[in-house]
Amino acid sequence: MAKKPKKQQSGGTPATVALTAAGAVFTVHAYDHDPASPSYGEEAAEALGVSPDRVFKTLVADVDGELTVAVVPVAGSLDLKALASAVGGKRAAMADPASAERTTGYVRGGISPLGQRKRLRTVLDASARSHPTVCVSAGRRGLEVELSATDLATLTNATFADIARAK
């Protein structure tokens, strides 16, 4: 059974603060996060009643020693070779979770591509362009932000590339 979305709680996250400061058009969606959920992204899609193709997860990878953000649909998975190629690298691996948290300022399952402590190179899967809006983490488990893929790319200085593959 889908969880009911909640109203936005007072106080913002670095992601929502960054969006507001940039004058971006966005909508915040909150829901009751279940700590036992096996997939944060799939949980968000179900709770919000949104297709998993429109909900994007933020993953941090190590490409040739440099942390890089990959934003891919929760309906798919990250193609590490494609990510490395997209940024002109040779080899990519998932980043150490503690390093990803420390660098972005967010906890795993709540890492947003927006408002990160240290701005990292970001690649957004090209499939995002096929949707009027996409949802990404707003910086906390149980909180998503919906905005256009173009705005997301502009605000994160992201490039578009085919970096996702079907599960």
Side-chain angles (χ1 to χ4, degrees):
M1 181 167 164
K3 297 174 188 171
K4 290 228 174 206
K6 300 188 295 186
K7 297 245 187 229
Q8 179 183 4
Q9 299 171 355
S10 61
T13 65
T16 60
V17 169
L19 285 164
T20 301
V25 175
F26 67 98
T27 304
V28 175
H29 301 283
Y31 60 92
D32 289 315
H33 165 63
D34 177 1
S37 179
S39 168
Y40 300 115
E42 289 175 9
E43 176 191 35
E46 183 180 328
L48 302 177
V50 176
S51 166
D53 291 336
R54 276 190 50 222
V55 178
F56 283 65
K57 55 190 169 187
T58 306
L59 303 171
V60 181
D62 180 318
V63 180
D64 298 336
E66 182 183 338
L67 291 183
T68 303
V69 173
V71 185
V72 298
V74 301
S77 61
L78 174 62
D79 181 333
L80 289 164
K81 278 185 156 184
L83 176 64
S85 178
V87 298
K90 292 182 181 176
R91 195 173 297 168
M94 294 307 298
D96 170 66
S99 177
E101 290 179 345
R102 189 172 46 254
T103 304
T104 64
Y106 293 115
V107 298
R108 202 169 133 238
I111 294 178
S112 177
L114 300 152
Q116 295 180 355
R117 181 177 290 150
K118 178 181 178 190
R119 184 176 270 213
L120 300 174
R121 178 183 277 186
T122 302
V123 181
L124 179 56
D125 186 66
S127 68
R129 289 180 170 158
S130 65
H131 305 289
T133 60
V134 295
C135 296
V136 295
S137 175
R140 177 170 76 224
R141 294 173 188 158
L143 196 66
E144 294 282 310
V145 64
E146 181 178 354
L147 71 166
S148 76
T150 303
D151 284 350
L152 177 60
T154 299
L155 294 167
T156 58
N157 201 28
T159 56
F160 287 97
D162 291 319
I163 59 168
R165 62 177 170 227
K167 279 188 179 178

